[in-house]
Amino acid sequence: MFNALGIIAYNNTNVYVEGLEKYRPIAAFNFIGRYRLVDFPISNMTNSGMFDIDVYVNGNPKVLFEHIGSGRHYNINSKHGHLGLVPVFPDGTRADAVPDVEMYYENLNDIESDPNDYVIIAPVNFIYKANYSDLLDTHVASGADVSILYQRIDNAKEAFLKCDVLSLNKQKGVLAIEENLGATKVRNLSLGTYIMSKQVFIDLVKKARATSSMYWLKDILNDSCSEMDIRAINYRGHVYPIYDLASYYASNMKMLNDENMKDFSDPNWPIYTRTYDSAPSIYLNDGTTSRTFVSNGCQISGNVHNSIIGRAVKIGKKAKIDGCIILPEAVIGDNANLKNVIVDKGARIVHKKDLEGTEESPLYIGRRETV
């Protein structure tokens, strides 16, 4: 059995997806019509041989309790492992403002009693395919106290603003963890994935808690760069980031590219999710789709192109949908014309029929709203 406890972390307030985040935590975001974001780090962990996993969530956990359930659909045997959901219960403060260190500290007894010797922490807002067993071997072989996964980017001036970036020396030692303010084009983007021994993790949590009640794990890591051996591991695969509404839209739309979708259609590295027994989608009144992901239970009577359609969506006669993300149970009325629009769950487009955003700034229609 893999000798590491998996922790799926939540994001700080620098990551905010306008509209969508009002109704659910980032971990519960729908992705390419079928998955939720939490499915990707859990699947990476279980495919790597990790079967002790805790999911920390700082929003309404109801949908995740239903989605994760016992964890059996993630190929976890509850007799030999566990998949737990740890929600934030704030005491008079907003859940999204509670630092991750506070939650780790409150659950320190459970972490200390965990039989694994290492801890691997992964976020929900960076989607990528990685074998954590190989990364742990790299970490152990390096002799580092902490390893951080990163990717070198060349568009930091206009993208990934407020995301964490790493300042590195020539040996890929981490000198500082900084916030990307858009001043430099080329930066080392932190993927928010940390590998360390369980004892180092416990010591860092205690140190952070003693330093400041507002410290996040990255803050104490940044403070410790000069006194600990913290190294960066370069990730060379595809990364699909979600840190605002535009990046959520862009990462979804990239999956319509066959080459990108190969990352997550590998039979040897499946992405697990909860399945639903629902009827297949049907096409009525000459409804058509092209270059589109269509989930189960849909009724399509219009023309859909270059879009992602969630479960049980209804698209009316002569409607035209182009470059849109339609979340489950939405209704698109007859003769509607939508371009670059994100329609949240259960929304109804029945009165104002012409709606258009841009790829850089998609138009968002809120959950269960009638337009």
Side-chain angles (χ1 to χ4, degrees):
M1 184 177 291
F2 195 66
N3 189 23
L5 168 66
I7 291 179
I8 297 175
Y10 56 79
N11 301 99
N12 65 19
T13 52
N14 285 354
V15 175
Y16 182 70
V17 182
E18 185 178 1
L20 288 167
E21 202 168 339
K22 177 180 178 182
Y23 302 105
R24 77 277 283 170
I26 293 177
F29 281 10
N30 188 281
F31 194 73
I32 54 175
R34 179 183 180 189
Y35 302 101
R36 295 192 183 272
L37 293 187
V38 74
D39 293 334
F40 294 90
I42 292 178
S43 297
N44 274 336
M45 289 179 177
T46 57
N47 287 332
S48 301
M50 300 172 66
F51 298 109
D52 292 307
I53 303 170
D54 286 324
V55 180
Y56 288 77
V57 57
N58 63 341
N60 188 339
K62 180 177 182 294
V63 65
L64 289 177
F65 277 121
E66 295 172 351
H67 182 75
I68 292 175
S70 67
R72 294 193 65 180
H73 50 283
Y74 295 108
N75 200 29
I76 292 178
N77 186 333
S78 59
K79 291 183 178 180
H80 304 289
H82 81 278
L83 176 58
L85 187 63
V86 186
V88 172
F89 292 103
D91 184 13
T93 60
R94 290 167 37 205
D96 60 356
V98 177
D100 54 359
V101 163
E102 188 68 21
M103 293 306 299
Y104 301 148
Y105 188 81
E106 287 188 10
N107 292 275
L108 211 53
N109 287 338
D110 290 337
I111 294 171
E112 289 175 331
S113 62
D114 186 90
N116 295 286
D117 295 325
Y118 291 90
V119 171
I120 296 178
I121 302 168
V124 291
N125 69 314
F126 285 112
I127 300 171
Y128 58 85
K129 176 182 174 183
N131 188 325
Y132 289 131
S133 179
D134 293 342
L135 292 176
L136 181 59
D137 289 344
T138 300
H139 167 74
V140 173
S142 73
D145 295 314
V146 180
S147 294
I148 303 177
L149 202 62
Y150 82 98
Q151 186 168 75
R152 194 166 179 81
I153 57 172
D154 60 5
N155 59 341
K157 276 194 172 183
E158 62 274 4
F160 302 102
L161 299 178
K162 294 187 177 182
C163 292
D164 292 337
V165 290
L166 306 179
S167 176
L168 306 178
N169 60 26
K170 293 182 179 180
Q171 291 75 38
K172 293 188 178 179
V174 179
L175 301 175
I177 302 174
E178 304 166 333
E179 185 178 308
N180 178 30
L181 301 178
T184 306
K185 180 180 179 180
V186 178
R187 297 303 302 262
N188 300 307
L189 176 70
S190 170
L191 300 185
T193 302
Y194 310 115
I195 305 171
M196 65 194 82
S197 71
K198 187 177 71 173
Q199 189 57 56
V200 167
F201 176 68
I202 291 170
D203 292 342
L204 286 170
V205 168
K206 290 180 177 179
K207 182 180 177 181
R209 187 62 159 62
T211 302
S212 171
S213 61
M214 297 302 295
Y215 255 34
W216 291 70
L217 182 62
K218 69 169 187 177
D219 295 321
I220 197 63
L221 284 171
N222 187 42
D223 285 358
S224 303
C225 285
S226 61
E227 58 194 55
M228 295 180 68
D229 185 0
I230 302 178
R231 302 189 194 180
I233 299 176
N234 189 9
Y235 179 78
R236 301 184 184 278
H238 294 136
V239 176
Y240 305 93
I242 294 170
Y243 53 91
D244 58 15
L245 191 64
S247 60
Y248 172 78
Y249 176 84
S251 290
N252 269 277
M253 302 309 285
K254 284 178 182 178
M255 303 312 296
L256 295 173
N257 182 305
D258 289 343
E259 287 301 312
N260 293 335
M261 195 58 197
K262 286 180 180 179
D263 287 338
F264 305 114
S265 57
D266 182 353
N268 296 317
W269 199 269
I271 304 301
Y272 300 106
T273 190
R274 177 174 290 279
T275 56
Y276 296 85
D277 294 328
S278 56
S281 293
I282 58 174
Y283 294 79
L284 308 168
N285 303 303
D286 299 321
T288 62
T289 59
S290 60
R291 201 172 184 265
T292 294
F293 284 133
V294 180
S295 303
N296 289 350
C298 296
Q299 296 180 18
I300 298 177
S301 300
N303 300 312
V304 185
H305 173 67
N306 195 44
S307 296
I308 294 170
I309 309 299
R311 292 184 176 92
V313 167
K314 295 181 180 179
I315 297 177
K317 292 183 292 184
K318 297 184 179 179
K320 294 182 180 179
I321 311 297
D322 184 13
C324 294
I325 301 173
I326 313 296
L327 298 188
E329 301 173 19
V331 175
I332 312 299
D334 297 346
N335 301 303
N337 186 6
L338 276 61
K339 184 176 178 63
N340 301 326
V341 179
I342 300 173
V343 181
D344 208 337
K345 182 177 180 179
R348 295 169 54 84
I349 313 298
V350 293
H351 297 296
K352 187 171 178 60
K353 300 294 184 70
D354 295 318
L355 300 172
E356 183 172 348
T358 65
E359 292 183 2
E360 295 76 22
S361 182
L363 178 64
Y364 170 75
I365 306 300
R367 188 174 72 172
R368 299 193 178 94
E369 287 185 1
T370 298
V371 176

